Amino acid sequence: MVDRREYLPFGTTLQLETGNIYEITGAPVGYGGGSILYPARRLVTINDKVQSDGFSYVLKECFPVSGYYNFVRSESGEIVPQSNTSESKLYLDRAKKLLLKEETVSHAIYQTASRVMPIRESAAQVVLRLPGKAATSISNTVTVMESLTEKGNSITAWIKDNKRFSPFQTFRIIQQLLFALREVHQAGYLHLDIQDGNIFLKGTLEQKDELVTLIDFGSARPMVDGKTAPIQDQVIFTTPGFAAPEIMLNNDGTLQLGAETDIYSVGCLALYLLTGRKPDTRALLENRTGIYLKPNQLRRIKCPKHLVDRMQQILATALDRSIGKRYHSVDEMLQDVSDFVEALQPYRTDLSAVKYDAFICYK
C-alpha cells in the first residue's frame, strides 16, 4: 500500500512556539496512522551565524489518514480537510489534540519504560518556510523527539533491505517488541498504532543482541482496569493493514479496547516480517481457517516442518477476529513466542553440528 500523503521537502524550516527552529534534513523516516516523521536538526544563532546545534532530531507532523475523511497539504503547507465539512474539521482538530497530548503520555510511560522514546517538545502553531517560499504562520501540529540514529533502523527500512525475515528472526523481533509493549501496558496505556514504521531495531538478529525501540504515542489511550473508556469521539489513528477488526467494524462511540487490540497489530507485524508484504485487511477478516501462511510461503521462509503448526497457531491466536479467542495479555503471547524461539534455536550441544532426521536411544 502506497502512502500518498505529500511530505515536507528537504530544507523546510519550522519555528515552534518556543522559538526553536528545526530544519527538515531528509526524506521521512516513518509514517504513522496520524502523522509523518522527518529527520531534522535544530538551528541556532552563534556569533550572528545560523548553524546546527550539533544534535539530530525527529520531527513529527500531524497528518492523519482516515477511512472517512481525506486530508491534503495546502499551498502554504498547512494540513487541511479536502472537503471542508464540519465533521472533517472536528476530526482533524481531535487528531491535533491527541498529538499534543503525546508529550505528556510518552513521559508518563517513560518513567517506568526503557524501550520507548519520549517527546522533547510540541507546538500547535508553527511558522513554516518551504524552500524558495516566504514564511507563513500555520496551524500544523508538530512534536519533536531525540534522534533515532542510535536506535538503529525502522522495520520499514529493514524490510526494504531484507525483503522478509526467517521464523527465528521474526519471532526474536516480536519477542523484543512484546517486552516493550508490556512496559506500555503496565504504565496504563494502549499504543494503538503498532506497525513497521513505529518500531526501530538495533543489533544483529543472529547474535541475539538486538534491541527494539517503540515510538509514536500519538494514538495512545489510557486504560483503567485493562480497558479504555468508551471512545466517544471515534478517533483512532491506526495504520491500514495493522488495525484490529473491532476498530474497523465496531467503532460506534461505545467501543472500549484492551490489550487484545495491540496484540492483533503485533500479529499483523509478524505476518509482514515473514512474508515481506503488508497484510491485506479484508483477507484477514475473511480468514476462517486459522492458516495464515500458504505452502509456498512456508517453503520460502524454511520453517522446520515440525514447528509449522506451532507457528500457525501463534499467528491464529493473535489474529483471531474474535477478541475472546485472542491472547488476552502480552505475557500470554510472550510465553508462546519465547517457547517458539527456543524451539527454533535449541540448546547447542555437540550434536548441533550433526544433521539428522531422528535420533533413537535404546537404554
Side-chain angles (χ1 to χ4, degrees), residues 20-310:
N20 287 332
I21 300 174
Y22 294 90
E23 182 181 49
I24 305 299
T25 58
V29 294
Y31 295 88
S35 57
I36 299 178
L37 283 72
Y38 305 90
R41 62 175 184 164
R42 188 165 74 96
L43 301 179
V44 294
T45 302
I46 301 176
N47 297 326
D48 296 325
K49 182 179 180 181
V50 177
Q51 59 189 59
S52 169
D53 68 355
F55 298 94
S56 297
Y57 302 91
V58 171
L59 185 143
K60 181 162 68 168
E61 178 189 39
C62 181
F63 197 159
V65 174
S66 168
Y68 302 100
Y69 312 108
N70 291 322
F71 301 96
V72 296
R73 189 181 301 282
S74 70
E75 191 173 327
S76 68
E78 186 169 2
I79 306 305
V80 296
Q82 189 171 39
S83 298
N84 200 21
T85 64
S86 58
E87 292 82 6
S88 61
K89 287 180 180 179
L90 285 172
Y91 189 94
L92 182 58
D93 183 59
R94 179 56 181 162
K96 292 177 178 180
K97 288 179 179 178
L98 283 174
L99 189 61
L100 288 173
K101 285 184 178 180
E102 185 183 4
E103 184 174 355
T104 301
V105 171
S106 66
H107 279 279
I109 296 171
Y110 193 68
Q111 295 298 316
T112 57
S114 60
R115 297 178 176 86
V116 302
M117 180 69 75
I119 296 300
R120 176 187 175 89
E121 62 175 320
S122 54
Q125 191 85 14
V126 299
V127 176
L128 180 74
R129 184 189 294 273
L130 293 167
K133 294 188 177 182
T136 309
S137 180
I138 59 174
S139 298
N140 278 13
T141 298
V142 302
T143 61
V144 179
M145 69 181 80
E146 303 293 342
S147 171
L148 295 168
T149 303
E150 294 185 358
K151 302 299 182 182
N153 294 313
S154 68
I155 295 296
T156 306
W158 280 75
I159 285 283
K160 190 176 294 184
D161 292 338
N162 297 276
K163 305 303 180 186
R164 69 181 69 86
F165 292 88
S166 70
F168 174 72
Q169 293 171 326
T170 292
F171 285 94
R172 275 292 296 173
I173 293 171
I174 296 301
Q175 184 184 46
Q176 295 297 312
L177 172 60
L178 289 170
F179 283 131
L181 188 58
R182 181 169 64 182
E183 293 180 336
V184 176
H185 289 182
Q186 288 176 342
Y189 289 88
L190 289 182
H191 187 280
L192 295 182
D193 196 17
I194 301 292
Q195 47 100 347
D196 53 297
N198 286 338
I199 300 160
F200 280 69
L201 179 65
K202 180 181 181 180
T204 54
L205 294 163
E206 290 74 14
Q207 299 300 321
K208 289 190 175 183
D209 64 349
E210 72 281 358
L211 177 65
V212 161
T213 299
L214 183 58
I215 68 167
D216 195 347
F217 293 88
S219 301
R221 295 265 179 169
M223 293 187 292
V224 177
D225 296 327
K227 293 286 184 182
T228 65
I231 302 176
Q232 297 178 350
D233 57 21
Q234 303 180 45
V235 179
I236 306 174
F237 302 112
T238 54
T239 300
F242 296 89
E246 55 269 22
I247 292 176
M248 295 181 289
L249 303 176
N250 303 319
N251 190 12
D252 59 1
T254 65
L255 179 64
Q256 292 181 272
L257 302 174
E260 297 89 350
T261 300
D262 274 346
I263 286 170
Y264 185 93
S265 298
V266 174
C268 291
L269 181 71
L271 202 56
Y272 182 32
L273 295 176
L274 289 166
T275 63
R277 302 184 67 176
K278 289 195 176 181
D280 183 313
T281 299
R282 180 174 295 180
L284 291 180
L285 288 175
E286 293 175 352
N287 189 312
R288 295 290 188 272
T289 66
I291 304 299
Y292 290 92
L293 292 171
K294 299 175 182 178
N296 63 323
Q297 293 173 321
L298 291 170
R299 283 194 296 271
R300 281 198 292 266
I301 62 176
K302 299 179 181 179
C303 181
K305 290 183 180 180
H306 67 288
L307 294 177
V308 166
D309 288 345
R310 191 186 300 191

